[in-house]
Amino acid sequence: MRKNFFLSTPIYYVNGDPHVGTAYTTIACDALARYKKIMGYDVYFLTGTDEHGQKVEETAKEKGYTPKEWTDVMVPRFKEMWKLLNIDYNNFIRTTEERHIKSVQKMLNIVYENGDIYLGQYEGKYCISCETFVPENQIAGDDCCPSCGKKLNLIKEESYFFRMSKYQDALLDHIDKNPDFILPRSKRNEVIQFVKQGLQDLSISRNTFTWGIPITFAPGHITYVWFDALVNYVTALGYENNPEMFDKFWNNGQTCHMVGKDILRFHAIIWPCMLFSAGVKLPSSIIAHGWWTSEGEKMSKSRGNVVDPYEEVKKYGLDPFRYYMLKEVQFGNDGDYSQKNVINRINSDLSNDLGNLLNRSLGMYYKYFDGKIVLSDTKDLIDDEIYTLWNEVVKEYQDSMDISQFSKALESIWRFIARLNKYIDESSPWILAKDSSKTSRLACVMNILINSLYKIALLVYPFMPDSAQKIWNQLGVNKNIKEEVIENLSGWDTLKEGHQLGKAEPIFPRIDAEALLKQIKAKNINPDLEIENVIDIEDFQKVKFNVVEILEVSLVEGSNKLLKFKVNLGDHIRQIVSGIAKYYPNPSELIGKKVLAVTNLKPVKLKGELSQGMFLASEDKKNGVRLIVVGNDIELDAHIS
Ligand code: MSP
C-alpha cells in the first residue's frame, strides 16, 4: 500500500507581494514534496493565502479597495510567482473560501462545546503586522513588537478566550514522546522552554473590526486571524466536507507543516492545543527554517534591498536560483542572499562540477562509440569504489531529505559528482581509446559514468526539476522523470545495448561574474556613492526657481547667439537673455511655453541688454540644448524647490 504524505507551506498574507522569503519556504516545500513522490509516497502538497485580519483590512483600505477586492487582486500574484518557480502544488487554499469558513466554525464549535472557550475582557498590546498579542513581559523597547519591531497598539475589548493553559502538560508530553515533532531538533528546545514558562489562555475573538470569520455562538465577534488561518491545513484535506480524504492524508499519513522561525510558536504551540481540544490528531512534524538577509542586511522595502525572485530567475535561470536557495544555508539557520555567492555556486557547483561531468561524459561517448551504448563487464577494482560510494550517497541523501536537511543532501550528491570527475582522470578514457585491446574496458568506464549521471539526475530532480529532465533527455532517456522512483535506481545497466544517447548542450552556462556584478551594481542604490561638489541644503535654498511663461522672443541686436525673452512670472514681467539662439532656429515656437528659470541671480547686461534671470536647460548629444519645459498644470506662482 502506498504511504501518504501531506505537506503545507504557511498560507501567505496578501498585504504585500511574494518575495524571496516566501519563495524560500515554498521552494523548500516543493523540493520535499517532489522528493517524497520519488520515494513512492502519495503526496498532497498545499499552499495558499491568509486573507483575513486587521492588517489585510487596513492595507485594502489604504489602496482604496474592499478587503475582498484586494485579496482578489493579490491572489493571482502569488499563483503567478509559484508558476514561475515551478511549484507543483496540489491545492491552493484561500481562507475566504466557503469550505474554510465552515471548517473554522466547525472546529470553534467543537472546542466551545468542550468547555474550552469562555468570555472575558482583553486588555493588552497587539501587533497588527504580526497579528499577535504581545504579553507585557515580551514588549520590546519603546512599546514595540519583539518580532518585527513595529509599534504596538493597545487593545481593550470583550473577547472570547481559548483555554490553552489546560493543554500545557499534554503538549510537553507530546513533544517529549515525538522527537521529530519539531524540526530541526535545535528549535525543539526553544519551544519546550517557552511552554515551560507557562501557557496563557489565548484571546481568539475580535469585535472592533469585521474582516474575519463570524463566530456562530458569539454574535458580533469574528475569529482571531491565527485561529482561522491554522485551520486551513485541515480544511484543505476535507475536515468539514471530505471525511475520506481527511482520513487518508491526515489520520493515516505523515503530516508536515513547513514554516519560518517567526511563526514556529503558532504552529508548535497554539495549533497543537487547538487540535487537542478539537479531538483531532496532531501533525507529525513542524519544520522551521531561518530567515534571509540581503547582502548582510535585513531585507526591507525602505532599504530597497528586498530580493525579487523574478529578477533572480531572469538573471540566473530558475533551477540555479532554486539550487542556490537550498544549498546556501543549512536548513534551520539564517542565510544571507549574496549575488557574489550565487554566481560562485553556479559556476563552481553547477557549471564546473555537474555540467562538466555531463559534457565530458557525453562528448567522450560520442567520440569513442558514436553515442551508442556498448555494454561491457570489464570491471576494475576502482569501479567498486564508485558502486560503494553510490550506495552510501543514496543512504545519506535519504537520511538528510527525511529531516529536511537539503544542503546536506546536496553535499552528498556533490561528493559523488566530485568522485566521478576524479574517476574520469584516474581511468583516463583517452588513453584506453588508443589501445584497441582496451575497448571493452573503455566501454565499462563510460557506462559507469553515463549510468551515474542517470542516477544523479533523479537525486537532483527535487531541487532542479527541469534540469534533471534535461539531463535525462541528453542521455537519450525520454521518460518523464517526475514519474520515476528512487527504488528503481539500483542497477548499473539502465541504458541497454545500442541505446542512442542524446545531444550534449550546456545546461548551466558559466556566468561572467565581473560583468554581471558590474551590471547589478549599476542598477542598485549605492550608499557609498561619491558625490562631487557637495552643497548643503542651506546653499540650495538660496537659489530661487520660478516657472515663467515666455511671452515674446527675439534676437539681440548685433548677436547671432543671444535671444532675449519677455517672460511672465505671474505677478510681474521680466527680461531674460539666453545664449541659445543656435539651438532654437525658430524661437517663436517657444512662445506660450512654461519653462524653469533661476530668478534671484544678480541682473547683468549682455550685449547691452538687461538679463534678469537664467533659464534652466538640458544638454545632450542628440538634442543639443533644450529649455526645461513644464506642463501646463503647473501654475506660474508655484513654489519650486
Ligand atoms: N499568514 C501567516 C502564516 C499563517 S500559517 C497558518 C504569515 N504569513 S507571511 O506572509 O507573513 O509569512 C509567511 C512565511 O514567509 C513565514 O514562514 C516567514 O517565515 C516567511 N518569511 C518572510 N520573510 C522571510 C525572510 N526574509 N526569510 C525567510 N523567510 C521569511 O506569517
Side-chain angles (χ1 to χ4, degrees):
M1 209 171 79
R2 293 244 287 176
K3 294 167 286 181
N4 306 319
F5 181 71
F6 167 79
L7 175 66
S8 65
T9 70
I11 45 171
Y12 301 107
Y13 287 132
V14 289
N15 49 307
D17 276 319
H19 52 78
V20 81
T22 41
Y24 180 55
T25 326
T26 318
I27 292 172
C29 280
D30 186 64
L32 186 55
R34 287 178 191 268
Y35 162 72
K36 286 288 182 179
K37 279 183 205 154
I38 62 171
M39 287 297 290
Y41 281 75
D42 204 348
V43 173
Y44 192 108
F45 171 19
L46 174 71
T47 190
T49 40
D50 189 354
E51 304 185 10
H52 290 126
Q54 208 167 350
K55 185 158 59 164
V56 172
E57 191 180 78
E58 284 183 5
T59 311
K61 206 167 160 196
E62 263 167 43
K63 309 270 179 190
Y65 290 93
T66 64
K68 179 69 174 76
E69 280 166 356
W70 174 245
T71 59
D72 288 345
V73 167
M74 292 306 288
V75 167
R77 315 247 275 245
F78 281 85
K79 290 189 173 169
E80 275 157 31
M81 175 68 86
W82 305 151
K83 194 167 169 207
L84 170 88
L85 299 177
N86 199 0
I87 306 299
D88 192 18
Y89 56 80
N90 295 73
N91 194 349
F92 189 104
I93 186 166
R94 300 182 53 176
T95 52
T96 45
E97 286 172 64
E98 201 49 37
R99 60 171 171 160
H100 180 65
I101 295 169
K102 283 196 177 140
S103 173
V104 169
Q105 289 174 336
K106 172 176 168 178
M107 191 172 284
L108 272 166
N109 287 340
I110 295 177
V111 174
Y112 182 61
E113 274 153 29
N114 235 348
D116 282 344
I117 291 178
Y118 62 91
L119 185 62
Q121 179 80 16
Y122 184 82
E123 185 171 350
K125 297 292 165 58
Y126 190 79
C127 173
I128 295 176
S129 184
C130 298
E131 295 283 12
T132 185
F133 301 98
V134 181
E136 281 300 323
N137 61 356
Q138 285 170 36
I139 295 176
D142 184 18
D143 232 8
C144 292
C145 169
S147 177
C148 71
K150 296 209 173 105
K151 210 70 185 161
L152 297 171
N153 290 49
L154 179 67
I155 292 186
K156 196 174 171 186
E157 61 192 50
E158 183 189 76
S159 174
Y160 283 85
F161 283 80
F162 168 49
R163 240 180 261 285
M164 199 156 73
S165 53
K166 180 171 154 190
Y167 296 101
Q168 176 168 333
D169 293 340
L171 180 59
L172 284 172
D173 187 53
H174 185 84
I175 299 175
D176 185 50
K177 291 201 176 108
N178 297 276
D180 285 343
F181 181 56
I182 298 166
L183 290 172
R185 303 237 167 106
S186 54
K187 298 268 185 244
R188 191 167 167 257
N189 274 345
E190 203 182 291
V191 175
I192 295 175
Q193 289 320 317
F194 189 84
V195 180
K196 278 190 174 160
Q197 281 170 26
L199 285 189
Q200 290 174 9
D201 291 349
L202 179 74
S203 161
I204 53 148
S205 81
R206 303 288 310 270
N207 66 0
T208 48
F209 66 99
T210 53
W211 185 235
I213 298 182
I215 301 183
T216 48
F217 55 82
H221 285 256
I222 54 163
T223 316
Y224 166 48
V225 67
W226 277 97
F227 206 101
D228 154 353
L230 288 160
V231 179
N232 91 85
Y233 304 128
V234 292
T235 301
L237 288 183
Y239 172 62
E240 203 275 328
N241 61 3
N242 192 340
E244 248 169 59
M245 182 160 64
F246 191 70
D247 222 39
K248 173 175 173 181
F249 282 102
W250 193 268
N251 289 331
N252 293 299
Q254 201 187 336
T255 44
C256 294
H257 304 309
M258 199 174 288
V259 298
K261 63 178 183 182
D262 53 318
I263 56 171
L264 173 62
R265 284 185 196 167
F266 296 94
H267 285 80
I269 300 173
I270 300 180
W271 180 226
C273 292
M274 285 165 66
L275 293 171
F276 275 135
S277 175
V280 177
K281 196 176 158 187
L282 266 51
S284 322
S285 26
I286 296 147
I287 313 165
H289 64 71
W291 266 49
W292 285 87
T293 50
S294 159
E295 307 291 347
E297 290 195 45
K298 191 171 178 224
M299 264 184 257
S300 77
K301 272 196 201 142
S302 54
R303 280 200 187 95
N305 66 349
V306 177
V307 179
D308 176 4
Y310 278 105
E311 285 288 316
E312 299 312 289
V313 170
K314 207 159 80 191
K315 266 191 299 216
Y316 301 117
L318 171 61
D319 281 354
F321 171 65
R322 288 176 56 120
Y323 172 80
Y324 171 75
M325 295 233 78
L326 295 176
K327 177 70 205 293
E328 186 65 6
V329 290
Q330 193 178 332
F331 205 72
N333 292 353
D334 290 338
D336 183 42
Y337 197 95
S338 136
Q339 301 291 338
K340 220 170 160 178
N341 291 349
V342 182
I343 298 172
N344 287 344
R345 282 248 164 266
I346 294 176
N347 284 348
S348 78
D349 301 4
L350 300 183
S351 294
N352 279 3
D353 300 345
L354 176 54
N356 271 348
L357 177 65
L358 178 65
N359 269 322
R360 285 171 91 191
S361 306
L362 278 172
M364 288 190 286
Y365 224 118
Y366 268 91
K367 195 163 168 197
Y368 306 135
F369 300 107
D370 287 334
K372 272 205 175 70
I373 298 288
V374 174
L375 290 183
S376 151
D377 56 4
T378 313
K379 300 216 168 25
D380 201 329
L381 269 183
I382 189 179
D383 301 350
D384 287 336
E385 277 184 42
I386 305 290
Y387 300 141
T388 314
L389 181 62
W390 166 254
N391 292 334
E392 264 174 52
V393 160
V394 183
K395 169 139 194 345
E396 276 173 20
Y397 171 87
Q398 290 177 17
D399 288 347
S400 303
M401 291 301 278
D402 284 340
I403 51 165
S404 302
Q405 281 305 314
F406 304 107
S407 61
K408 280 207 179 129
L410 285 166
E411 269 165 35
S412 302
I413 307 174
W414 258 255
R415 196 151 70 87
F416 189 55
I417 293 173
R419 182 67 192 88
L420 289 167
N421 274 321
K422 198 166 147 224
Y423 174 76
I424 296 183
D425 295 336
E426 286 165 350
S427 44
S428 309
W430 46 92
I431 296 177
L432 298 173
K434 284 190 187 138
D435 182 345
S436 58
S437 71
K438 303 261 170 67
T439 305
S440 169
R441 174 65 194 144
L442 175 64
C444 181
V445 169
M446 293 312 303
N447 289 342
I448 287 185
L449 293 171
I450 293 294
N451 276 285
S452 297
L453 280 159
Y454 179 90
K455 293 166 192 287
I456 289 169
L458 190 60
L459 298 196
V460 301
Y461 162 77
F463 302 91
M464 301 189 283
D466 290 344
S467 308
Q469 183 69 57
K470 279 187 194 156
I471 296 177
W472 268 23
N473 294 348
Q474 294 196 10
L475 296 178
V477 178
N478 296 320
K479 283 189 289 183
N480 187 353
I481 197 161
K482 194 176 168 178
E483 261 124 52
E484 187 54 285
V485 286
I486 288 187
E487 211 186 332
N488 293 346
L489 284 185
S490 53
W492 285 90
D493 53 0
T494 312
L495 305 182
K496 300 295 176 216
E497 180 78 27
H499 171 92
Q500 178 65 56
L501 297 171
K503 226 173 115 211
E505 268 163 31
I507 300 180
F508 307 109
R510 255 192 98 72
I511 291 174
D512 179 344
E514 210 180 315
L516 186 61
L517 287 173
K518 225 172 168 178
Q519 244 181 50
I520 294 170
K521 217 169 158 195
K523 268 200 199 158
N524 283 351
I525 296 166
N526 174 7
D528 306 317
L529 191 70
E530 298 257 338
I531 296 178
E532 289 173 26
N533 299 329
V534 180
I535 58 165
D536 296 330
I537 186 79
E538 288 80 15
D539 296 328
F540 174 75
Q541 279 164 347
K542 284 188 197 156
V543 185
K544 187 162 188 307
F545 299 96
N546 274 91
V547 175
V548 303
E549 183 188 1
I550 297 176
L551 300 176
E552 288 174 18
V553 55
S554 60
L555 255 179
V556 171
E557 235 174 86
S559 164
N560 55 3
K561 284 193 189 136
L562 297 177
L563 288 174
K564 71 173 175 188
F565 296 82
K566 193 195 246 185
V567 297
N568 181 9
L569 276 80
D571 55 355
H572 68 278
I573 308 284
R574 287 190 188 198
Q575 175 164 284
I576 293 180
V577 176
S578 174
I580 56 172
K582 180 168 136 195
Y583 302 103
Y584 287 95
N586 181 19
S588 56
E589 72 184 75
L590 288 169
I591 293 174
K593 294 250 155 47
K594 284 180 179 172
V595 298
L596 283 178
V598 175
T599 51
N600 62 341
L601 270 178
K602 201 163 155 193
V604 286
K605 279 205 165 169
L606 297 168
K607 284 268 174 191
E609 288 287 354
L610 180 67
S611 183
Q612 299 166 303
M614 187 179 80
F615 292 129
L616 294 186
S618 68
E619 183 170 6
D620 64 53
K621 281 196 193 106
K622 194 169 143 218
N623 304 300
V625 172
R626 305 312 291 165
L627 295 188
I628 310 285
V629 178
V630 299
N632 271 331
D633 53 333
I634 302 197
E635 300 295 332
L636 290 180
D637 58 0
H639 173 73
I640 313 285
S641 57

